Amino acid sequence: MLMRHAVADLEAAPLDGERHVRMAHLRLTDEQFAELGARLQALADEYRELSDPALPDASLVFALFHPAWREQADGSAE
């Protein structure tokens, strides 16, 4: 649900506005996964503290998760 709202907000944003959008498929150890999650949370918290209500809104959305296993075309697990 969160990502659906984020996509709707992104689609409604001005087309000529600056955007930073990226999707990456990563292969991480459990430790790397946990570290990246903690770093993303810390970065979001750091910038939330810098937030000035007098400035225009900026939305930050991220999702770090292990997707369900998908079968590759040849039938073997990814």
Side-chain angles (χ1 to χ4, degrees):
M1 184 62 77
L2 172 70
M3 298 309 286
R4 286 188 196 114
H5 286 287
V7 168
D9 286 350
L10 179 61
E11 290 174 338
L15 293 176
D16 60 349
E18 185 175 2
R19 301 170 184 226
H20 303 276
V21 179
R22 175 147 187 210
M23 181 173 180
H25 294 280
L26 309 172
R27 303 217 181 228
L28 305 172
T29 65
D30 290 341
E31 293 79 16
Q32 290 169 326
F33 183 88
E35 178 186 354
L36 180 55
R39 289 176 64 186
L40 289 169
Q41 292 284 0
L43 190 60
D45 290 343
E46 176 185 342
Y47 278 86
R48 187 179 311 114
E49 290 175 15
L50 297 172
S51 185
D52 180 345
L55 296 174
D57 286 340
S59 294
L60 171 65
V61 179
F62 61 85
L64 178 64
F65 59 95
H66 293 288
W69 286 95
R70 294 178 293 171
E71 295 294 319
Q72 293 180 337
D74 65 1
S76 63
E78 221 179 63

